[in-house]
Amino acid sequence: MRRFLTLADVEEILQITSSQAYALVRSGQLKAIRVGGRGVWRIESEKLEEYIQEQYEQTRLSIENPSSTPENSSAS
C-alpha cells in the first residue's frame, strides 16, 4: 500500500465527490498535508484509516444514543 494518497484516491475509496473530499481536508476532519510548489494535497493512508475508524465510532455512538446526535438535538 502506498503511504500517501491523492484527493482522487480518497474520493474513490470513500465513494464521495471531489468537493466532499476537499471539504473533509479543509475542515481538518481528514488530516492532510500540502506538498510541492503547487501545494497539492496528500493524505497519509494511515490518516485515512484513522478517519474511517472515527466515523465508525461516531456512528456506533449515534446508534446507541440517538438523542445526542446533532440532527435530533433541538436548538433553543
Side-chain angles (χ1 to χ4, degrees):
M1 185 178 216
R2 295 178 301 176
R3 180 173 179 179
F4 289 99
L5 304 169
T6 65
L7 281 177
D9 294 330
V10 171
E11 294 164 27
E12 184 178 331
I13 292 166
L14 295 179
Q15 297 182 346
I16 59 176
T17 65
S18 59
S19 60
Q20 289 171 317
Y22 185 71
L24 287 174
V25 167
R26 294 292 292 178
S27 70
Q29 288 181 277
L30 178 58
K31 294 191 182 341
I33 60 172
R34 294 185 82 176
V35 296
R38 301 175 84 188
V40 293
W41 290 105
R42 292 293 181 262
I43 300 90
E44 202 164 359
S45 299
E46 184 177 302
K47 297 299 181 190
L48 178 59
E49 288 303 318
E50 288 173 10
Y51 170 79
I52 292 168
Q53 291 307 313
E54 289 169 6
Q55 296 310 300
Y56 274 120
E57 182 63 14
Q58 285 183 10
T59 301
R60 184 186 67 76
L61 292 173
S62 70
I63 290 169
E64 290 176 358
N65 191 5
S67 63
S68 69
T69 59
E71 58 270 4
N72 291 332
S73 298
S74 58
S76 301

